[in-house]
Amino acid sequence: MNTFTPSLRALLVEDNPADADLVIESAGFEVHRTVNFEVEEDLASALTAIQKNPPDIVLLDLGLPDSQGIPTFEKLHQAYPDIPVIVLTGNHDTNLAIKCIELGAQDFLAKGKTEHFISGAIHNTVARARTQRALNESRRNLQGMIEDSPDAILVLDKSHYVLFANEVASHLLGEQADIGQSIQIPLAENTLQEFEIRPPDSPPAIVEVRMGNTSWYGAPAYILTLTDITNRRQTEKEKERLLAAIEQIEDTVIVIHLDGTIEYVNPAFKKTSGYDPEDILGQSISQLFGDEEHPEMFAQLQETLKAGKVWRGRIEQKCKNGTSYTVESTISPVSGQDGKLINFVAVNRDITDHLRIQNEKNTLQEQLVQSQKLESVGRLAAGIAHDFNNMLSVILGYAQIIQCRIKKDTPLYNEVKHIEDAAQRSAVLTRQLLAFSRRQTLQMSATELNKIVLGIEPMLRRVIAENIELKFKLTSSTTRVIVDPAQMEQVIMNLVVNAKDAMPRGGIILIESKLIEVDKAYTKWQPDLPIGHYVQLVITDNGCGISPDLIENIFEPFFTTKEVGDGTGLGLSMVYGIIKQCEGSIQAYSEMGRGTAFKIFLPLSCEESLPEITTPTLLPPQSEKQYHILVVEDEKFIRNLMATLIPQMGHQVTVASSGREALRLIEDQKFIPDLLITDVVMPNMSGIDLIAQARKLIPNLKYLYMSGYTDHSIATHGTLEPGSPFIHKPFTLSELTTKVEELTSA
């Protein structure tokens, strides 16, 4: 059995039960399926029932016991204006019903004629009422939204007169926003405009204006929206000023996302690093870090930033061409208005030049201190030697007198002879002290250094062991220098003996000579040498080497690396003094397990006119063709120096700090250099191994070795193939240019 549950409630207000039954019966079956009728006999009861449970519709008779005519409708409508009312009238009350409709009734029905109309009237009335109610609610919501909007909203007629304005509009426009006023702003439809206006009793404001078409109570109209963008524009101007400042400062500014990718760099970044913004934006910040890893520093950096604090420190970074530079960095966390971290900003100042200058000052200061120390020790040694020589003179004199007074075959004669021999050996020590202090008298003359070397060769071969091979590589050019030949023999002998002692299991000693020109650039390698022409004498061994912490002390008197009793510690100090007295210089270059090279520089003395030595302002003429050169060097100072010199020669340069980094450039980035210049001795991978692997990838690769050892000493020691392209550190600009031209043009 089907049952129907009415969905509408209708209140019938009728004092005549017969008329009430008639209305309900005439509604028919279809109405009863959807409408449930309730009946009240007077207005007061009807109002009470409505208050308790409002119906969907009221059917109202105007003639009730407690109210008659139009006031009956007015009382109910005023009390419940949202409930739809159908007025029930007699045949003679049509005008009265129409009047009620004008006052707000939804419809009217004549009693006795409802059977054909009541169903449609009830449903239409309820539908209209519900629609109107929803419309009213929507309008109230819309008006509330308009009133609560931070923007000024106005409705204008087509002549730009105000039909509606919210409170914000009244604040911005004052009297112009009053109903009926004309807006005095040049407006354009569907166009975003910007104006400056002057609100009453307020500073000028910048507004963004939009105007579009709408309708207002069925008539065409405009809706006008004014957004106050004064604060936005001020913020934008502040950002522009801030950005202009960031774009023009010399320090680099980097904005970093929380995931470590780079979001922004200022123009100074390109000047410092060589990277264009498009090269680096979106890349990881780790791409900029140098090869020297400092896990403790980076861990402390991350911990500081996670705590919301500012980190300050020094970081080594890499340029696009592979060179490194040092920055003084300040990295700050940046939070949004909600306090949440949004990114980091790093402000970096390049202090590479400052550090280089400071290092040069420190080096010069150390050299000055060392020189002053040696000078002080020399003065002390000279004084001691002078007084000691006086005492030795007395000892030797009396020993010889005693020898003259006794027979040679007596025991006493031999004992006195021992005294004389000991005094003679002591005299040798005093001469060594005088040599170090540069107080000895030298017999200076212009002498060919090669002749001194060759003249002492037989003696050198007698003092070295059979398991040591002595080799020579002497220049064919003149090697005339102003020296004391005997003292130079002593210098060479001392250095060869030291080399022999460093090779107890045998090895090779190589003696080389060549001419070099010291120019302004060369003095960066050898700051104690004046500009000029020199003869360089190099004595190299492949012995045990000298540790870095000892090599700076080797020229000090009585300093020795030998066992107790094996040496006086005066040999190298004597060598140092003799070379300095000849206005020359001596340096030691050594690596543990590989050997030592002593380099002596003596001013060249020639009767023939020498090429004029000038401080060059320009490098030798640049090559007509530009080459791309890859330099591999583990020493940062030399790496950066090469990155500066080679471009001035007219070539492009890329640098790498290790053999592995160079191979990554060739393999991963498909980099094919025109020339590869590499240091021979490097950590992890030597220059020899690098060239071997690189030539597997690039069979025709041209290369050049460089080292503090000479090429012949390295070749002799089995490290370098004889005839390999080689340049000896330190080298002059002319030497480097010549080598590059020779190799690239071959």
Side-chain angles (χ1 to χ4, degrees):
M1 179 178 180
N2 294 328
T3 59
F4 300 95
T5 302
S7 59
L8 297 177
R9 291 178 56 250
L11 176 61
L12 175 59
V13 187
E14 173 61 63
D15 61 328
N16 187 337
D19 288 343
D21 291 340
L22 179 62
V23 170
I24 293 173
E25 290 176 3
S26 63
F29 174 75
E30 291 299 326
V31 174
H32 285 284
R33 291 179 61 189
T34 56
V35 180
N36 182 35
F37 286 94
E38 298 174 10
V39 181
E40 295 293 341
E41 295 182 351
D42 56 48
L43 182 60
S45 300
L47 293 174
T48 301
I50 293 172
Q51 183 179 9
K52 291 179 180 180
N53 190 8
D56 294 298
I57 189 170
V58 175
L59 285 76
L60 179 63
D61 183 16
L62 296 182
L64 298 175
D66 55 351
S67 181
Q68 295 289 321
I70 290 178
T72 303
F73 169 77
E74 289 178 332
K75 291 175 184 178
L76 188 144
H77 186 61
Q78 289 174 1
Y80 301 102
D82 292 333
I83 297 178
V85 178
I86 296 177
V87 175
L88 299 177
T89 67
N91 290 334
H92 59 285
D93 292 334
T94 301
N95 292 332
L96 189 62
I98 292 174
K99 182 65 175 177
C100 290
I101 289 176
E102 292 175 352
L103 294 175
Q106 293 294 319
D107 205 348
F108 72 91
L109 293 174
K111 293 181 182 181
K113 298 181 179 180
T114 61
E115 64 273 12
H116 300 295
F117 305 108
I118 189 169
S119 174
I122 290 175
H123 284 89
N124 291 339
T125 297
V126 171
R128 285 199 304 271
R130 287 181 173 176
T131 301
Q132 187 62 43
R133 192 180 304 161
L135 182 59
N136 292 340
E137 181 67 22
S138 176
R139 284 178 176 172
R140 283 194 296 271
N141 291 338
L142 179 59
Q143 186 168 355
M145 292 171 58
I146 291 174
E147 290 295 343
D148 294 339
S149 171
D151 295 337
I153 300 176
L154 301 93
V155 178
L156 311 178
D157 65 14
K158 289 299 182 176
S159 298
H160 295 182
Y161 286 93
V162 178
L163 301 175
F164 168 84
N166 66 354
E167 188 173 339
V168 178
S170 299
H171 170 74
L172 281 177
L173 300 176
E175 294 181 355
Q176 279 194 74
D178 291 347
I179 304 299
Q181 293 295 319
S182 175
I183 295 297
Q184 304 300 317
I185 299 176
L187 301 173
E189 292 184 35
N190 302 317
T191 302
L192 185 64
Q193 299 174 277
E194 189 173 305
F195 299 102
E196 180 179 300
I197 62 174
R198 295 182 177 274
D201 304 322
S202 296
I206 301 173
V207 293
E208 203 171 61
V209 180
R210 297 178 181 86
M211 187 174 73
N213 290 300
T214 187
S215 63
W216 186 256
Y217 290 99
Y222 294 120
I223 183 166
L224 188 66
T225 304
L226 290 81
T227 303
D228 189 345
I229 59 171
T230 306
N231 292 337
R232 187 205 305 173
R233 287 291 181 261
Q234 290 176 347
T235 301
E236 289 173 353
K237 288 182 179 179
E238 291 174 0
K239 288 182 179 179
E240 288 175 0
R241 287 194 292 269
L242 178 60
L243 182 60
I246 292 175
E247 297 270 313
Q248 296 178 38
I249 61 174
E250 294 185 357
D251 294 345
T252 63
V253 179
I254 308 173
V255 178
I256 310 162
H257 192 270
L258 297 181
D259 63 5
T261 56
I262 299 173
E263 295 183 323
Y264 167 82
V265 292
N266 68 337
F269 177 80
K270 180 179 179 180
K271 296 179 182 177
T272 303
S273 69
Y275 283 105
D276 290 311
E278 55 268 22
D279 296 334
I280 202 68
L281 294 181
Q283 301 297 319
S284 172
I285 187 69
S286 61
Q287 184 172 330
L288 302 179
F289 295 149
D291 298 310
E292 298 181 12
E293 297 183 358
H294 303 283
E296 294 181 358
M297 182 195 72
F298 285 113
Q300 189 261 343
L301 184 156
Q302 292 177 350
E303 183 178 345
T304 301
L305 294 178
K306 285 181 180 178
K309 299 178 181 178
V310 176
W311 182 88
R312 294 179 176 87
R314 289 181 179 178
I315 300 177
E316 184 171 308
Q317 296 187 338
K318 290 173 62 177
C319 292
K320 185 177 181 179
N321 66 1
T323 59
S324 58
Y325 62 101
T326 304
V327 297
E328 194 80 55
S329 183
T330 300
I331 305 178
S332 307
V334 180
S335 300
Q337 294 182 350
D338 56 359
K340 291 183 179 179
L341 194 62
I342 56 177
N343 53 34
F344 305 103
V345 60
V347 180
N348 298 335
R349 173 163 294 179
D350 185 359
I351 59 171
T352 307
D353 289 341
H354 170 75
L355 292 179
R356 178 183 55 78
I357 293 171
Q358 189 62 45
N359 288 337
E360 290 176 356
K361 287 182 178 178
N362 293 340
T363 300
L364 291 174
Q365 183 66 28
E366 290 172 1
Q367 291 175 345
L368 176 61
V369 171
Q370 182 72 4
S371 175
Q372 290 174 338
K373 181 173 69 173
L374 293 176
E375 187 68 28
S376 299
V377 174
R379 285 195 294 269
L380 175 62
I384 294 174
H386 178 269
D387 294 339
F388 194 44
N389 267 336
N390 291 337
M391 290 184 285
L392 287 175
S393 298
V394 174
I395 294 171
L396 284 171
Y398 279 107
Q400 291 171 354
I401 291 173
I402 293 173
Q403 282 180 310
C404 292
R405 292 179 180 180
I406 60 178
K407 294 181 179 181
K408 292 184 178 181
D409 56 354
T410 63
L412 182 61
Y413 185 90
N414 291 330
E415 292 171 354
V416 175
K417 180 64 175 175
H418 289 320
I419 294 174
E420 181 186 15
D421 291 342
Q424 291 288 4
R425 288 195 297 271
S426 298
V428 172
L429 291 178
T430 59
R431 283 197 297 273
Q432 290 177 335
L433 284 173
L434 287 171
F436 166 73
S437 62
R438 288 171 267 170
R439 299 296 195 275
Q440 66 176 344
T441 302
L442 299 181
Q443 301 297 321
M444 308 291 279
S445 63
T447 307
E448 285 288 338
L449 186 59
N450 283 351
K451 289 184 179 180
I452 297 176
V453 174
L454 295 174
I456 199 176
E457 179 185 355
M459 188 182 300
L460 297 177
R461 294 192 181 278
R462 286 195 294 270
V463 300
I464 62 176
E466 292 182 355
N467 60 352
I468 295 177
E469 183 180 1
L470 181 63
K471 292 187 174 184
F472 295 88
K473 172 65 176 172
L474 304 178
T475 179
S476 58
S477 302
T478 178
T479 56
R480 185 173 298 177
V481 291
I482 306 297
V483 296
D484 182 327
Q487 293 298 326
M488 278 308 301
E489 289 179 355
Q490 189 65 41
V491 166
I492 297 169
M493 178 65 71
N494 268 281
L495 295 177
V496 170
V497 170
N498 280 348
K500 177 206 72 168
D501 293 341
M503 299 183 294
R505 297 182 180 179
I508 299 173
I509 299 175
L510 177 65
I511 301 178
E512 302 173 83
S513 68
K514 68 176 182 177
L515 301 183
I516 66 167
E517 178 184 352
V518 174
D519 55 15
K520 185 175 181 181
Y522 199 97
T523 59
K524 293 183 178 180
W525 307 76
Q526 200 89 15
D528 61 334
L529 282 180
I531 293 174
H533 290 84
Y534 290 82
V535 178
Q536 185 187 63
L537 182 68
V538 184
I539 300 177
T540 307
D541 66 71
N542 60 347
C544 58
I546 306 172
S547 64
D549 57 329
L550 297 179
I551 199 164
E552 63 180 20
N553 304 113
I554 60 175
F555 294 119
E556 295 178 6
F558 306 110
F559 180 85
T560 180
T561 59
K562 300 177 182 178
E563 297 293 332
V564 177
D566 286 347
T568 63
L570 286 172
L572 288 179
S573 60
M574 181 201 71
V575 168
Y576 176 86
I578 292 173
I579 298 303
K580 285 295 184 182
Q581 203 164 356
C582 295
E583 298 183 354
S585 176
I586 181 170
Q587 281 196 343
Y589 177 85
S590 183
E591 290 192 18
M592 292 297 294
R594 292 182 175 272
T596 303
F598 283 92
K599 302 175 183 178
I600 297 172
F601 300 83
L602 295 169
L604 180 65
S605 174
C606 294
E607 294 180 0
E608 298 82 13
S609 60
L610 294 173
E612 183 181 358
I613 304 296
T614 59
T615 301
T617 57
L618 295 174
L619 289 172
Q622 294 187 355
S623 170
E624 295 181 358
K625 185 175 180 181
Q626 185 186 62
Y627 298 101
H628 198 156
I629 300 174
L630 174 59
V631 176
V632 187
E633 169 62 61
D634 60 313
E635 288 292 332
K636 176 182 175 182
F637 174 75
I638 299 175
R639 199 163 62 238
N640 289 344
L641 181 64
M642 296 286 281
T644 303
L645 294 180
I646 291 176
Q648 296 184 48
M649 295 161 52
H651 304 303
Q652 188 177 354
V653 64
T654 295
V655 300
S657 62
S658 66
R660 291 176 180 173
E661 183 180 353
L663 289 177
R664 283 197 300 270
L665 288 171
I666 295 173
E667 289 183 290
D668 298 343
Q669 300 186 21
K670 309 302 180 186
F671 174 44
I672 303 178
D674 298 302
L675 176 65
L676 193 158
I677 303 177
T678 178
D679 190 16
V680 175
V681 181
M682 295 186 294
N684 299 320
M685 178 183 289
S686 70
I688 312 295
D689 294 337
L690 168 61
I691 293 300
Q693 294 191 38
R695 297 200 81 183
K696 291 179 182 178
L697 301 171
I698 309 173
N700 297 323
L701 176 66
K702 297 178 181 179
Y703 60 93
L704 174 65
Y705 292 114
M706 58 181 176
S707 177
Y709 289 107
T710 65
D711 53 343
H712 301 287
S713 66
I714 294 177
T716 302
H717 297 160
T719 305
L720 197 66
E721 289 291 333
S724 297
F726 183 87
I727 190 167
H728 179 240
K729 297 179 187 174
F731 42 78
T732 66
L733 298 179
S734 297
E735 289 173 334
L736 178 61
T737 302
T738 301
K739 279 287 186 182
V740 170
E741 289 298 320
E742 287 177 359
L743 293 170
T744 53
S745 61

